[in-house]
Amino acid sequence: MPRLSEVIAALDALWPPSRAEQWDAVGTVCGEPDAEVTRVLFAVDPVQEIVDEAVELGADLLVTHHPLYLRGTTTVEAGTFKGRVVHTLIKNDIALHVAHTNADTADPGVSDALAGALDLRVTGPLVPDPTDPAGRRGLGRICELDHPETLREFTARAASRLPSTAQGIRAAGDPDALIRTVAVSGGSGDSLFEQVRAAGVDAFLTADLRHHPASEARERSPLALVDAAHWATEWPWCEQAAAQLDAISERRGWGLRTHVSRTVTDPWTAHAPSVTSPSTSGAPN
């Protein structure tokens, strides 16, 4: 069986920490380098529910997309929820490793997995990495559909192929507009509107779209917007990442057992569609 340090070296080759954004916090959070690794769990969020799942599974390593301590900390006291995560991991000899923005821009990366889940054909990165001579790495992906669909149909495609969440899928634009090309970006994507418009695509699928940026984007161009839950747009990466580690394990004869958490850690738990309009809501005229 490989040591943790060997597995981490393989993960760092897939998602080099040097390619993470400067503000990011990626890499190994806890773990004994010489400890043996037999079972690995992949998940989006390093929250207590996922850590408890890793304990029950008997995992030696938990790999998450989101960092535990993005802004740093001065304590791992167990009375805090993040401190309790660390205590649980260490008490159960489970290492934690994070691949965040270095996995976003990788080849393949988070948006490749998102495009694959939607059965879209990737034609290139939305924001190319200037250090990649092959032009495959970068943030987001530009994609094509096999055949045109209306926005209504494409929204239904996203709803049926991405993991189910309380939010579901929201869309902005003419429901009958034809969609042939799509930009996708796993996670929060409303900082990319300028690049999406420059790409000339028909629609942009991402997460966490806010009122003002979305409203302004709709006023500036006919670009359709499709907004999914943050967790749902990044979860497909977990399956992709597990498959990548499986391939490495097979080549090196490690015999690792990889697992992908199916636990929904999106923070929203309920959704009630609106049923009234301003004229019927009781607001004064």
Side-chain angles (χ1 to χ4, degrees):
M1 290 296 171
R3 295 176 299 167
L4 175 63
S5 59
E6 295 175 290
V7 178
I8 295 304
L11 299 181
D12 283 347
L14 292 173
W15 316 299
S18 61
R19 292 188 186 141
E21 296 291 336
Q22 290 187 346
W23 51 262
D24 206 358
V26 302
T28 305
V29 177
C30 64
E32 171 55 54
D34 291 329
E36 286 190 348
V37 176
T38 61
R39 198 181 295 268
V40 183
L41 178 64
F42 287 84
V44 175
D45 296 301
V47 294
Q48 189 65 42
E49 188 175 11
I50 295 298
V51 172
D52 291 342
E53 182 178 342
V55 173
E56 183 176 355
L57 182 66
D60 308 295
L61 170 62
L62 171 61
V63 179
T64 65
H65 182 52
H66 289 152
L68 179 63
Y69 289 109
L70 183 58
R71 293 175 176 82
T73 188
T74 59
T75 179
V76 292
E77 192 267 317
T80 65
F81 85 88
K82 292 188 178 184
R84 184 158 57 95
V85 163
V86 173
H87 279 253
T88 305
L89 289 167
I90 292 175
K91 284 182 178 180
N92 290 277
D93 296 319
I94 302 172
L96 172 61
H97 187 78
V98 174
H100 193 210
T101 53
N102 49 330
D104 286 335
T105 59
D107 173 32
V110 170
S111 293
D112 290 295
L114 174 57
L118 296 168
D119 198 23
L120 302 175
R121 183 171 58 255
V122 173
T123 61
L126 175 63
V127 185
D129 180 346
T131 69
D132 176 22
R136 296 177 60 88
R137 292 198 309 266
L139 190 62
R141 293 295 183 266
I142 299 172
C143 310
E144 296 177 344
L145 280 70
D146 287 336
H147 54 82
E149 292 181 353
T150 65
L151 176 59
R152 180 184 292 104
E153 291 169 331
F154 182 71
T155 303
R157 174 200 290 240
S160 66
R161 295 178 185 236
L162 293 180
S164 177
T165 63
Q167 172 183 315
I169 308 294
R170 303 186 298 178
D174 178 358
D176 295 319
L178 284 181
I179 306 300
R180 298 177 177 84
T181 56
V182 181
V184 301
S185 181
S188 304
D190 62 14
S191 65
L192 300 173
F193 281 136
E194 182 177 346
Q195 292 89 339
V196 172
R197 282 191 293 269
V201 295
D202 300 316
F204 179 34
L205 185 147
T206 187
D208 298 341
L209 291 181
R210 297 169 295 164
H211 174 87
H212 292 296
S215 176
E216 291 172 8
R218 287 291 305 150
E219 291 297 322
R220 292 186 61 176
S221 78
L223 175 71
L225 305 178
V226 182
D227 183 38
H230 191 121
W231 175 86
T233 64
E234 293 182 330
W235 183 85
W237 172 81
C238 295
E239 289 195 320
Q240 175 180 277
Q244 288 178 279
L245 183 56
D246 279 338
I248 294 171
S249 174
E250 185 175 351
R251 288 198 303 269
R252 300 187 183 182
W254 284 349
L256 289 177
R257 286 167 287 180
T258 62
H259 304 263
V260 175
S261 174
R262 263 66 183 175
T263 302
V264 178
T265 54
D266 186 77
W268 306 107
T269 58
H271 172 74
S274 300
V275 295
T276 61
S277 65
S279 61
T280 60
S281 64
N285 292 329

